[in-house]
Amino acid sequence: MSNTTSQHEEKARGTARKSGRKKGSATAARSAPDGHPAPGHHLSLLRRMLTIRRFEERCVELYSGAKIRGFVHLCIGEEAVAVGVNQALREEDAVVSTYREHGHALARGVAANAVMAEMFGKATGCSRGRGGSMHLFDATHRFYGGNAIVAGGLPLAAGLALADRMRGSTRVTCCFFGDGAFAEGEFHETANLAALWQLPLLLVCENNLYAMGTSLAREHAQTNLAMRAASYGMPAWTVDGMDVLAVEAAALRATESVRAGNGPHFLEAQTYRFRAHSMYDPDRYRAKSEIEEWKGRDPLKGLAELMRSEGQLDDRVMEELDKEVLAEIDEAVRGAEEAPLEPVADLLRFVTSETGSTA
């Protein structure tokens, strides 16, 4: 923790202690009466991360077989961020994401079959097949994109948070974005207004060290992203994005403080994508040794090893878990393949209104 953020963090900790754990909150749901993790909590986290991993791996196969078209950005290696942060969010909260959002959507609760159908461009997809990989959307889960423009989701998240603040709501808007967003004006404008207006906004930067093919060190003179965010007057700190339990704890601490009226908070999750920027990317800008080193910190492997050491996991349980997840993905693929395309007659639906219609 940097000196520039220590006072903010102490304030956040104090506020979180005063606010307590409200019934129905993510904190209460994950904890037993003695404060320890509820039985099965670690297994639930592992299953969620495994679902994202297997979904993404299947997308590689489907894309290679031309079943999925367009640009596809995978989050293999970054699962702990999506799962850990979403543990701290409530159903009424909002989530805004990037083009690398499959994991965020699945962790938020968007059904795998709806996401897969969207990848296929089918009418049963969460965006009716109109968005594809980069534009997942599900209002029922308050999941507002999927935004293809770097940093494009940040102003939208600020707008959602401003609306909640004006209503006097305690809802939190969580916005995911990558380290590349720091090079865009949208981040700085959003951070400034969020702090100025004390918006209930959680900014989560997934720092995977590369904005497309450019390393953070080659793009930014100051690479301490939490310190830069703190300069806008908001609590900001860094967390190990390869450790789902660390991410969960940091996100819980931040969201409790945001709900208590302490304005926006910033988390820098230091993570790494094991695959290229997109399926089109030859990935020639990273050393293979660097990739292998980060794979040694695989978030799924790390949690599984912890659970084994505590007697919560063995080979049989792991095999059954993997079988269940793969069956779910298989069913999602079957559903996507059998689902219909949107009728040509509906192409202008939601684009133009019918004559005389006020919809």
Side-chain angles (χ1 to χ4, degrees):
M1 179 177 68
S2 65
N3 292 333
T4 57
T5 60
S6 59
Q7 292 182 345
H8 292 302
E9 290 197 70
E10 285 303 317
K11 179 181 177 182
R13 276 195 289 267
T15 303
R17 285 193 293 268
K18 292 177 184 177
S19 65
R21 293 178 175 178
K22 297 182 180 180
K23 183 178 180 181
S25 70
T27 309
R30 69 178 289 277
S31 301
D34 60 2
H36 290 89
H41 180 66
H42 288 174
L43 187 62
S44 175
L45 295 177
L46 182 61
R47 191 188 196 286
R48 290 170 184 268
M49 289 197 294
L50 186 61
T51 298
I52 296 171
R53 177 68 59 87
R54 296 293 182 250
F55 184 95
E56 297 287 68
E57 290 173 344
R58 187 62 59 86
C59 286
V60 174
E61 298 175 11
L62 294 167
Y63 184 90
S64 300
K67 294 291 185 70
I68 295 175
R69 305 295 183 91
F71 286 93
V72 175
H73 305 82
L74 305 172
C75 67
I76 294 175
E78 301 183 10
E79 296 90 348
V81 182
V83 172
V85 170
N86 272 280
Q87 287 297 301
L89 301 176
R90 302 175 182 174
E91 290 184 3
E92 65 266 25
D93 295 332
V95 174
V96 180
S97 185
T98 69
Y99 47 76
R100 198 184 308 280
E101 86 278 36
H102 309 157
H104 301 149
L106 293 170
R108 182 62 180 162
V110 182
N113 56 6
V115 178
M116 187 63 76
E118 187 62 34
M119 303 287 285
F120 275 63
K122 297 298 185 69
T124 56
C126 58
S127 299
R128 296 186 175 89
R130 296 182 171 215
S133 173
M134 294 192 288
H135 299 95
L136 304 180
F137 183 94
D138 191 332
T140 60
H141 288 89
R142 289 181 57 78
F143 186 81
Y144 301 120
N147 293 279
I149 304 300
V150 174
L154 282 155
L156 303 178
L160 289 166
L162 176 60
D164 283 335
R165 200 210 68 176
M166 295 175 70
R167 294 188 185 105
S169 172
T170 59
R171 296 191 300 197
V172 173
T173 294
C174 173
C175 184
F176 292 97
F177 53 95
D179 51 283
F182 268 79
E184 301 292 335
E186 288 93 337
F187 169 77
H188 302 281
E189 293 165 355
T190 298
N192 179 63
L193 289 178
L196 184 65
W197 295 340
Q198 288 293 281
L199 301 183
L201 183 62
L202 175 60
L203 299 171
V204 180
C205 177
E206 293 181 302
N207 181 5
N208 60 26
L209 304 181
Y210 291 90
M212 294 184 68
T214 304
S215 70
L216 185 69
R218 291 175 62 89
E219 186 178 13
H220 295 276
Q222 174 53 264
T223 59
N224 188 328
L225 303 185
M227 183 175 71
R228 292 172 66 183
S231 71
Y232 287 100
M234 70 179 76
W237 63 90
T238 299
V239 63
D240 181 359
M242 307 302 277
D243 182 343
V244 67
L245 299 178
V247 174
E248 179 185 37
L252 283 166
R253 178 174 137 203
T255 53
E256 286 181 356
S257 186
V258 173
R259 290 187 209 284
N262 292 307
H265 284 52
F266 175 94
L267 293 180
E268 177 197 357
Q270 294 182 340
T271 185
Y272 198 82
R273 51 177 168 79
F274 294 166
R275 296 187 65 91
H277 168 71
S278 73
M279 291 296 294
Y280 278 102
D281 180 9
D283 201 8
R284 295 173 180 169
Y285 46 85
R286 304 187 298 181
K288 292 183 178 178
S289 58
E290 177 184 286
I291 299 173
E292 291 305 313
E293 180 180 351
W294 277 92
K295 283 184 177 179
R297 297 175 55 192
D298 189 321
L300 278 76
K301 179 181 178 182
L303 180 59
E305 289 179 348
L306 173 65
M307 293 173 64
R308 287 179 185 275
S309 69
E310 296 180 347
Q312 300 181 43
L313 185 69
D314 56 30
D315 290 343
R316 181 189 62 80
V317 173
M318 190 65 204
E319 289 174 5
E320 287 298 318
L321 188 65
D322 202 20
K323 185 184 298 183
E324 291 176 9
V325 169
L326 288 173
E328 180 182 351
I329 304 302
D330 287 342
E331 180 59 32
V333 174
R334 279 194 295 272
E337 290 178 330
E338 296 170 1
L341 292 168
E342 187 175 30
V344 174
D346 286 352
L347 288 181
L348 293 181
R349 190 182 179 200
F350 310 117
V351 178
T352 61
S353 61
E354 296 179 6
T355 303
S357 173
T358 58

